[in-house]
Amino acid sequence: MGMNNVNASKATISRMPAYLRFLREEFSKGMKYISSAYVATEMDVSAILVRKDFALVSSVSGKPRLGFEITRLIQDIERFLGYDSVRNAVIVGAGGLGKAFLGYEGFKKYGMNVLAAFDVSKEVIGEEFFDKKVYDVKEMEAFIRENDVSIGIITVPKKFAQSICDELVRCGIKGVWNFAPIQLDVPYGVALKTEDLASSLAILSAKIMENSLEQ
Amino acid sequence: MGMNNVNASKATISRMPAYLRFLREEFSKGMKYISSAYVATEMDVSAILVRKDFALVSSVSGKPRLGFEITRLIQDIERFLGYDSVRNAVIVGAGGLGKAFLGYEGFKKYGMNVLAAFDVSKEVIGEEFFDKKVYDVKEMEAFIRENDVSIGIITVPKKFAQSICDELVRCGIKGVWNFAPIQLDVPYGVALKTEDLASSLAILSAKIMENSLEQ
DNA sequence: TAGATTGTTAATCGATTAACAATC
DNA sequence: TAGATTGTTAATCGATTAACAATC
């Protein structure tokens, strides 16, 4: 199930979804083969890096003069990313962000199936958003165990984030995707990925500053 | 205005907001001085890296045996990140994610002031979310120029993202923060940061896979 | 064939870590 | 003073790029 080559670097892994999107689009335009140089110019990476990345995930090599067979690449990347075996996920915190994620169809394309949301507020418990229901957090453990849920998405206010995280871990979750602006502790063996908007914004601001200095 | 040292690496910049959050919290607990070793263990980075990072943003050095003066560090990081001069931003696309961002108070703490949202749908134009109004996209240029808006946040469906981005650039925006799952083109001199959820999810999945192999 | 494009090996670049002297 | 902690210089590690032979 899922990713084959665990030896791929973090950097390589993080580029894969973008390659996949690009390749799917080119394929839908009727392209059959694609060169690393073409991918490189369109995607702002070097051609050598593209070849290295493709070599890492693909079982077949590209053909000199022709390039890489797009359908094959798509298959290989999909399998590499584990999109062939969708993971179940739940959202904890049905606030603005939680609701937005409930309605985001795209996750399915990324190998993740969001089943439901959980919250403590009576105002949202029982409501449905985009055909997905919000349950009482008390029902979370049963739900997770019954539905083979492996990912917990945390979209609660930061002061509740650690305790919700602990609860998810206790329920046997395999990975926590944290959107609260706080550093969480998870035990060894549980995967954690925190989205830090402040960090991204800092990078953007730095780029803006850099540009303004150049002019 | 804003960031001082442009020589800081991307990696260093992206760690700064997390340091800042941590230092603010320790300060609120009554701490006056802090050692790199303490920051390191609490934040899962090495102590040497903490010292290197601090040295890069701070005008004063730490004191042997005592550590770093927290208030001073906080000031220095805030100035480094440009939090002393807040940037104005607008959101384009008042869907689920756009609305969630309108309601997110945290951006102000990160040096960004979201003024309003824009959309094409008559259903949302004129509405208010968390005291912030949704305007017709047609009014965007005037608004951006009148209110000194430097950041455009794109939360529209991906098929509209590039044209909205072009429009923002035409309005003189300095930086684009893109949440649509698509690679955008911006001209030289305009900063771009794309949040790629698929990419983050791929990293999380990879970690989960890695863990499952170890057991 | 000639030429475009691949895959591989070595070099470079950037970021992190190790070692250790300096200092309060 | 002794010891904790800093800042700096060198070493290592990881990722990207350059060079180039292989090949269809």
Side-chain angles (χ1 to χ4, degrees):
Chain A
M1 165 189 184
M3 274 182 232
N4 277 337
N5 194 336
V6 193
N7 295 326
S9 75
K10 228 171 149 176
T12 296
I13 294 168
S14 70
R15 279 189 296 271
M16 286 300 157
Y19 287 135
L20 184 57
R21 275 195 294 260
F22 178 71
L23 294 169
R24 279 174 176 162
E25 203 183 305
E26 293 302 307
F27 182 69
S28 77
K29 287 180 190 164
M31 276 248 202
K32 297 277 178 273
Y33 282 84
I34 202 162
S35 75
S36 60
Y38 183 68
V39 176
T41 47
E42 293 294 308
M43 291 191 55
D44 275 325
V45 281
S46 82
I48 307 165
L49 192 53
V50 171
R51 292 203 292 277
K52 278 254 164 84
D53 284 342
F54 285 1
L56 215 94
V57 298
S58 189
S59 43
V60 293
S61 43
K63 291 175 189 163
R65 274 187 67 82
L66 251 184
F68 297 82
E69 195 186 340
I70 294 185
T71 52
R72 191 61 199 245
L73 272 182
I74 289 176
Q75 279 173 32
D76 288 336
I77 296 177
E78 282 176 345
R79 214 190 32 211
F80 174 81
L81 290 173
Y83 290 3
D84 48 352
S85 59
V86 172
R87 285 184 189 283
N88 290 327
V90 294
I91 291 171
V92 197
L97 196 58
K99 285 179 202 163
F101 285 166
L102 276 182
Y104 183 51
E105 284 296 316
F107 286 138
K108 228 175 250 169
K109 273 190 227 145
Y110 303 151
M112 188 176 75
N113 192 16
V114 175
L115 300 178
F118 294 87
D119 206 300
V120 290
S121 158
K122 278 183 182 141
E123 283 176 30
V124 286
I125 292 172
E127 286 213 50
E128 268 191 24
F129 298 95
F130 311 95
D131 287 335
K132 277 161 195 169
K133 218 172 162 184
V134 181
Y135 296 97
D136 192 318
V137 133
K138 288 171 193 157
E139 301 174 50
M140 194 165 73
E141 179 161 14
F143 190 95
I144 287 176
R145 299 203 185 272
E146 276 163 29
N147 293 280
D148 185 32
V149 174
S150 58
I151 294 177
I153 304 172
I154 295 183
T155 52
V156 299
K158 70 174 170 184
K159 59 182 161 181
F160 305 122
Q162 184 61 63
S163 68
I164 286 295
C165 179
D166 295 343
E167 174 69 8
L168 283 166
V169 168
R170 217 176 49 74
C171 297
I173 219 90
K174 302 262 175 46
V176 172
W177 200 6
N178 173 40
F179 288 83
I182 187 176
Q183 172 106 357
L184 294 180
D185 277 328
V186 291
Y188 184 79
V190 175
L192 171 67
K193 179 87 176 85
T194 294
E195 279 336 285
D196 188 345
L197 286 183
S199 171
S200 292
L201 185 54
I203 298 282
L204 180 64
S205 295
K207 285 184 187 169
I208 293 175
M209 284 303 300
E210 216 183 307
N211 286 337
S212 76
L213 289 180
E214 275 173 21
Q215 266 118 46
Chain B
M1 165 190 179
M3 274 181 234
N4 277 337
N5 193 334
V6 193
N7 296 325
S9 75
K10 228 172 150 176
T12 295
I13 295 168
S14 68
R15 278 189 297 269
M16 286 301 157
Y19 288 135
L20 185 56
R21 274 194 296 261
F22 178 71
L23 293 170
R24 280 173 177 163
E25 204 183 305
E26 293 302 306
F27 182 70
S28 77
K29 287 180 190 163
M31 277 249 201
K32 297 277 179 273
Y33 282 83
I34 203 162
S35 75
S36 61
Y38 183 67
V39 175
T41 47
E42 294 294 308
M43 291 192 55
D44 275 324
V45 283
S46 82
I48 308 164
L49 192 53
V50 172
R51 291 204 292 278
K52 279 253 166 83
D53 284 343
F54 286 0
L56 216 94
V57 298
S58 188
S59 42
V60 293
S61 42
K63 291 176 189 163
R65 274 185 70 81
L66 252 184
F68 298 82
E69 195 187 341
I70 295 186
T71 51
R72 192 60 199 246
L73 272 181
I74 290 176
Q75 279 173 32
D76 287 337
I77 296 177
E78 282 177 344
R79 214 191 31 213
F80 175 82
L81 291 173
Y83 290 3
D84 48 351
S85 59
V86 172
R87 285 184 188 284
N88 289 327
V90 294
I91 291 170
V92 197
L97 196 58
K99 284 179 203 165
F101 285 166
L102 276 182
Y104 183 51
E105 283 297 316
F107 286 138
K108 228 176 248 168
K109 273 191 227 147
Y110 303 150
M112 188 175 76
N113 191 16
V114 175
L115 300 179
F118 294 88
D119 206 300
V120 289
S121 158
K122 278 180 184 145
E123 283 174 32
V124 286
I125 292 172
E127 286 213 51
E128 269 191 23
F129 298 95
F130 311 94
D131 286 335
K132 277 160 193 169
K133 218 171 162 186
V134 181
Y135 297 96
D136 191 318
V137 133
K138 288 171 191 157
E139 302 173 49
M140 194 164 74
E141 178 162 14
F143 189 96
I144 287 176
R145 298 202 185 272
E146 276 163 29
N147 294 281
D148 185 31
V149 174
S150 58
I151 294 178
I153 304 172
I154 296 183
T155 53
V156 300
K158 71 173 170 185
K159 60 182 160 181
F160 306 121
Q162 183 62 62
S163 68
I164 286 295
C165 179
D166 295 343
E167 175 70 8
L168 283 166
V169 168
R170 217 177 49 73
C171 298
I173 218 91
K174 301 260 174 46
V176 172
W177 201 5
N178 173 39
F179 288 83
I182 186 176
Q183 171 107 359
L184 294 179
D185 277 328
V186 290
Y188 184 79
V190 175
L192 171 68
K193 179 86 177 87
T194 294
E195 273 346 277
D196 188 345
L197 286 183
S199 171
S200 293
L201 186 54
I203 298 282
L204 180 65
S205 297
K207 285 183 187 170
I208 294 175
M209 285 303 300
E210 217 183 305
N211 285 338
S212 75
L213 290 180
E214 275 172 25
Q215 268 117 48

